Amino acid sequence: MEATGVTAEPVSGELVSVAHALSLPAESYGNDPDIEMAWAMKAMQHAEVYYKLISSVDPQFLKLTKVDDQIYSEFRKNFEKLRIDVLDPEELKSESAKEKWRPFCLKFDGIVEDFNYGTLLRLDCSQGYTEENTIFAPRIQFFAIEIARNREGYNKAVYISVHGKEVEKEGNHGREKADSGRVEEKGAKREGEKVKTNKGEEKEKEANKEINKSSETAM
């Protein structure tokens, strides 16, 4: 993914061999536990990076590949009515679904690197990568669905679940300041009224003195 900003580093011949094996379709693994484990770990690392990405950056601004526009256009042309907020595994894994997905995926052979690489895909895009919410899918299928989720606003639920709490805290802080201001204002008003009352009492006493003086003079 371009948006991850991961820098390529030199790798050993052994790692290149593992990477090549991991780029094969899942059905090519056979029953080799080492390959299956390496593939699963690689897929999990990719999933963790991607989930952190959509949690920290507004997903609508993300660019996952150099050909996002092409992937999205082809995806919606071929799967116009596919529901992507909560995926139905049958829409991806059934024999009829595979027949429809196969030509779409093959269009990106040579265009998207490791287009058939095994990748983890969330079923419900508002949730994380839990065991119940995750299936394996070819990388191009992951890109197609996640690019659509980002552009159509479905992945924003993850971003809001993280940043919405921060916004709420800021809002509460603002309300606390406003309440504090109102308390201070009321206190100042009461002080003003007290001063005003004291001045009134003083004036009344002065007036009474004047009245008493006048009465004594008259007598």
Side-chain angles (χ1 to χ4, degrees):
M1 293 179 294
E2 286 191 349
T4 61
V6 177
T7 304
E9 296 180 357
V11 293
S12 67
E14 182 183 352
L15 287 178
V16 169
S17 298
V18 171
H20 172 69
L22 292 177
S23 69
L24 298 174
E27 55 267 25
S28 301
Y29 300 151
N31 295 317
D32 189 326
D34 292 334
I35 291 295
E36 288 179 351
M37 179 60 71
W39 176 65
M41 288 176 63
K42 193 78 173 176
M44 195 63 219
Q45 287 171 0
H46 176 272
E48 287 174 355
V49 169
Y50 181 68
Y51 195 75
K52 285 179 182 176
L53 200 59
I54 60 175
S55 299
S56 58
V57 179
D58 190 335
Q60 68 176 323
F61 300 115
L62 289 178
K63 185 175 175 64
L64 303 186
T65 75
K66 294 178 180 178
V67 290
D68 278 18
D69 292 340
Q70 183 183 349
I71 293 172
Y72 180 67
S73 176
E74 288 288 340
F75 170 66
R76 274 313 185 195
K77 186 166 69 176
N78 288 275
F79 302 94
E80 182 182 0
K81 296 181 180 179
L82 180 67
R83 182 181 176 184
I84 58 174
D85 57 338
V86 180
L87 294 169
D88 178 356
E90 286 296 304
E91 296 282 356
L92 307 176
K93 300 296 185 182
S94 68
E95 287 305 316
S96 59
K98 286 179 180 179
E99 287 300 313
K100 193 171 182 181
W101 276 100
R102 189 171 292 113
F104 168 83
C105 294
L106 290 174
K107 282 183 181 179
F108 294 94
D109 185 5
I111 297 175
V112 173
E113 186 178 358
D114 296 329
F115 81 104
N116 209 25
Y117 185 101
T119 308
L120 295 176
L121 179 65
R122 294 169 301 141
L123 294 174
D124 182 346
C125 68
S126 68
Q127 305 299 318
Y129 285 93
T130 62
E131 185 176 350
E132 300 78 16
N133 195 46
T134 305
I135 60 171
F136 285 112
R139 175 169 284 186
I140 186 57
Q141 198 173 51
F142 164 87
F143 280 141
I145 291 170
E146 290 297 337
I147 289 169
R149 282 173 167 176
N150 291 339
R151 294 194 174 197
E152 295 173 17
Y154 294 110
N155 271 339
K156 197 151 190 174
V158 174
Y159 178 76
I160 290 173
S161 70
V162 175
H163 293 272
K165 294 175 184 177
E166 295 175 5
V167 172
E168 187 179 346
K169 283 180 183 177
E170 290 175 3
N172 289 336
H173 182 62
R175 283 193 290 274
E176 287 171 5
K177 286 182 73 176
D179 291 341
S180 176
R182 281 194 288 271
V183 169
E184 289 176 4
E185 185 180 350
K186 285 180 181 178
K189 191 174 181 181
R190 282 198 295 271
E191 286 297 321
E193 288 173 352
K194 187 185 287 186
V195 170
K196 192 174 180 181
T197 301
N198 291 339
K199 285 184 178 179
E201 289 175 354
E202 288 174 5
K203 284 184 179 180
E204 187 178 347
K205 286 179 182 178
E206 290 294 328
N208 287 334
K209 284 181 183 178
E210 291 297 325
I211 291 170
N212 290 334
K213 282 181 183 179
S214 299
S215 297
E216 290 173 0
T217 303
M219 291 175 66

